[in-house]
Amino acid sequence: MDGQAAAQVETVAVSGADPAGRIATLLAAQKAAWRADVNPDRATRDDRLARLDRMLVAWQDRFATAISEDFGNRPAIVTALTDVVPVRAAIRHARKHLKAWMRKRRVSLSWTGQPASAFILRQPLGVVGIVAPWNYPLNLMLSPLVGALAAGNRALLKPSELTPAFSGVLQQAVKEFFSEDEVAVVTGGPDVAAAFTAAPFDHLIFTGSTAVGRKVAEAAAKNLTPVTLELGGKSPAIVDRSAELGEAVPRLVWGKLLNSGQTCVAPDYALVPRERIEAFLVAAQAEVERQYPALSDNPDYTSIISAHHFDRLTRLVGEARDGGAQVTQLAGAHDPARRIFAPVAVTGAPADCALMREEIFGPILPIVPYDTLDEALSYINAHDRPLALYWFGKDKEAEQAVLNGTIAGGVTVNDTILHLAQDNLPFGGVGASGYGAYHGEAGFVALSKEKPVLRQSRFSGVKFLYPPYGRMARVMLKLLSKLG
Ligand code: NAD
């Protein structure tokens, strides 16, 4: 989804006047607090994580209500499953492993370094800025925060202007559980976001569109602030000839329609063997009707975030249809008043239409036919590197060919979305879908400085290399050139 599009939506600015000044004040306070405790001990970090968990428990109903208000309708169970539960799991995981993650790592030295010793210290970076999108507003704000707090940092949070109700509730909740110099929330639109990402943080984690990600990388470069960019893109799902449609289609439909397709790792389009397309469409129609027997008044089906986004989806389908594509309604009918976009499959869309070029971010499934696996892989590799890739099938050789022959942020084989939900798997994009990764230890490391330390011993051969360079230095140089 393009960042400019979101920026055109009318937003409610909940920040006060002079957002840049307010951000600078908060950042200065957090930096000062960091200087007073550069490397918080485990108990301090654990206490912050425990408070974050207590905050989630105490405020989860208010979070769910606010998020539903922002969407128009977003089932509380979806918010629990995709926002609250994964963050609480990440907190549990971090607390369990914190001691091991913080431990200093001994490193062996080559003979030239003997008898010195060496180790790596993992230290906090300082103050981390976190910018989140609207689609999983709690998860994408607080999961990075878990890594930031575990690694001993302080953090400023900037939620999306498209979730004003949630942003307000988050601000109150954070105030109740954290001091402003530990964690604070800054709200506002793209202007506030731009000021935020231009501030001299010690690290920025940005989750959002590729278009805005580019601006963030540029702004951060001015301060040499390192950035983790969690972006989007068109994630393919390949249905292999060896796949059982009865197994693959329900899993693909679930991943596509979760949050009505407003998911960064949703399968964007499906590559299906040409001769199986009819059977695939029949199975998809049956499965959508099974998962969502009614649409307009179905409390399980999430609304599209704004009228602007709804209209964009309508345009994507209309343009493809005008270009000769066949549109198959998978269930129900659109209800623009409630921003219910009925799921559709699109076959035969022209390659140059927006549907086939842009990330869809909605319940529209283009189907791309293929004859050989090589053809499917060439299609994927001719496009930007995706955030996620899915493969369905039983043929192990084909599976290997797909895993070896493509580059993607992450993969789930024979299902969708799930690789994202495991704290032992680093999560992040590649190429246009972003750089850097977080979750679990990867998040801890991304937000730490791994500081190498060498401790010299009392006895050191380095003195033989001191000037003036005589015979001994030349002998040492010979030795080093041969064995060093
Ligand atoms: P967006 O890029 O429009 O907005 C994201 C955030 O950027 C918002 O908080 C917004 O205020 C801020 N922003 C806007 N203009 C800015 C600027 N000039 N400088 C700095 N920040 C600015 O994205 P969105 O529409 O909220 O979210 C959808 C996109 O996010 C999709 O592309 C989706 O794939 C991606 N996404 C990625 C992940 C991931 O983990 N990789 C997760 C969810 C969503």
Side-chain angles (χ1 to χ4, degrees):
M1 138 111 244
D2 116 43
Q4 260 177 346
Q8 286 160 11
V9 176
E10 205 179 315
T11 59
V12 181
V14 276
S15 60
D18 186 22
R22 169 96 180 115
I23 293 162
T25 306
L26 283 169
L27 184 54
Q30 293 207 348
K31 286 203 172 187
W34 170 77
R35 280 193 294 275
D37 185 8
V38 169
N39 200 353
D41 60 15
R42 180 154 75 96
T44 306
R45 301 182 192 200
D46 188 63
D47 168 60
R48 290 177 184 158
L49 290 169
R51 273 187 276 148
L52 186 61
D53 195 46
R54 287 203 299 278
M55 180 187 100
L56 280 167
V57 173
W59 283 74
Q60 58 186 334
D61 292 344
R62 282 170 281 185
F63 287 140
T65 307
I67 293 174
S68 188
E69 190 184 313
D70 287 329
F71 274 83
N73 174 51
R74 218 261 203 142
I77 191 162
V78 169
T79 297
L81 276 175
T82 60
D83 278 287
V84 178
V85 167
V87 178
R88 294 199 65 206
I91 294 171
R92 266 195 302 278
H93 183 81
R95 293 183 72 190
K96 183 167 159 209
H97 295 282
L98 197 51
K99 187 173 173 195
W101 293 349
M102 288 176 70
R103 201 171 284 143
K104 81 176 173 196
R105 273 121 176 98
R106 296 221 159 271
V107 171
S108 63
L109 294 174
S110 73
W111 70 272
T112 54
Q114 307 285 347
S117 60
F119 52 90
I120 292 172
L121 275 186
R122 291 175 163 185
Q123 290 188 302
L125 292 171
V127 183
V128 176
I130 305 174
V131 181
W134 51 265
N135 62 330
Y136 293 95
L138 185 146
N139 186 333
L140 298 168
M141 181 55 83
L142 300 186
S143 289
L145 180 63
V146 172
L149 295 180
N153 300 288
R154 290 154 193 277
L156 283 185
L157 317 180
K158 158 62 186 80
S160 166
E161 61 279 7
L162 294 184
T163 51
F166 166 72
S167 305
V169 172
L170 180 70
Q171 202 165 38
Q172 291 172 46
V174 165
K175 258 194 194 143
E176 187 179 314
F177 283 83
F178 293 93
S179 63
E180 268 199 348
D181 62 12
E182 282 178 316
V183 183
V185 180
V186 175
T187 58
D191 51 333
V192 175
F196 188 92
T197 50
F201 284 100
D202 297 301
H203 192 103
L204 272 168
I205 297 196
F206 171 83
T207 305
S209 61
T210 301
V212 177
R214 280 182 216 282
K215 294 186 193 172
V216 172
E218 252 181 63
K222 296 210 169 87
N223 300 311
L224 293 182
T225 296
V227 197
T228 302
L229 288 182
E230 299 284 343
L231 311 178
K234 290 182 87 62
S235 298
I238 310 173
V239 178
D240 192 65
R241 287 210 156 74
S242 64
E244 273 177 36
L245 292 184
E247 181 182 288
V249 170
R251 296 174 183 191
L252 206 155
V253 162
W254 169 73
K256 181 74 191 181
L257 297 189
L258 180 69
N259 209 26
S260 291
Q262 302 168 108
T263 302
C264 56
V265 288
D268 185 278
Y269 63 95
L271 283 148
V272 179
R274 196 177 298 279
E275 73 282 3
R276 299 190 82 183
I277 286 182
E278 267 321 301
F280 181 91
L281 280 173
V282 169
Q285 233 160 2
E287 185 56 29
V288 172
E289 278 183 15
R290 207 186 58 73
Q291 291 188 24
Y292 300 95
L295 223 52
S296 187
D297 55 353
N298 186 336
D300 294 344
Y301 197 67
T302 304
S303 299
I304 300 302
I305 188 75
S306 76
H308 172 83
H309 288 73
F310 189 96
D311 294 345
R312 174 182 168 270
L313 294 175
T314 309
R315 272 201 312 278
L316 290 184
V317 176
E319 190 205 348
R321 190 188 277 118
D322 293 347
Q326 193 188 333
V327 178
T328 308
Q329 205 69 37
L330 294 176
H334 298 321
D335 179 353
R338 299 185 58 235
R339 300 198 301 275
I340 296 295
F341 196 96
V344 295
V346 180
T347 45
D352 61 350
C353 69
L355 184 75
M356 302 311 287
R357 285 185 289 105
E358 294 174 13
E359 177 180 6
I360 296 170
F361 229 57
I364 307 167
L365 183 68
I367 295 171
V368 178
Y370 71 88
D371 294 308
T372 65
L373 184 58
D374 277 352
E375 201 184 309
L377 298 190
S378 302
Y379 184 91
I380 293 168
N381 288 334
H383 291 82
D384 281 342
R385 291 172 173 181
L387 180 60
L389 183 143
Y390 303 109
W391 182 82
F392 291 92
K394 307 276 176 237
D395 178 344
K396 292 285 164 207
E397 249 179 61
E399 179 184 327
Q400 268 317 306
V402 170
L403 292 179
N404 291 336
T406 53
I407 299 183
V411 176
T412 296
V413 169
N414 282 324
D415 216 320
T416 53
I417 315 275
L418 300 178
H419 64 280
L420 164 79
Q422 288 302 315
D423 284 303
N424 278 330
L425 292 176
F427 176 67
V430 55
S433 56
Y435 49 71
Y438 72 117
H439 283 191
E441 191 170 9
F444 181 93
V445 173
L447 298 173
S448 298
K449 162 64 187 163
E450 292 209 289
K451 185 163 76 181
V453 180
L454 184 142
R455 182 186 285 126
Q456 184 58 292
S457 81
R458 210 172 141 207
F459 307 100
S460 162
V462 181
K463 66 179 177 207
F464 298 119
L465 286 169
Y466 294 168
Y469 301 116
R471 205 176 72 83
M472 184 52 91
R474 279 192 285 279
V475 169
M476 287 295 285
L477 183 63
K478 232 183 206 166
L479 216 57
L480 283 172
S481 323
K482 270 196 192 147
L483 305 171

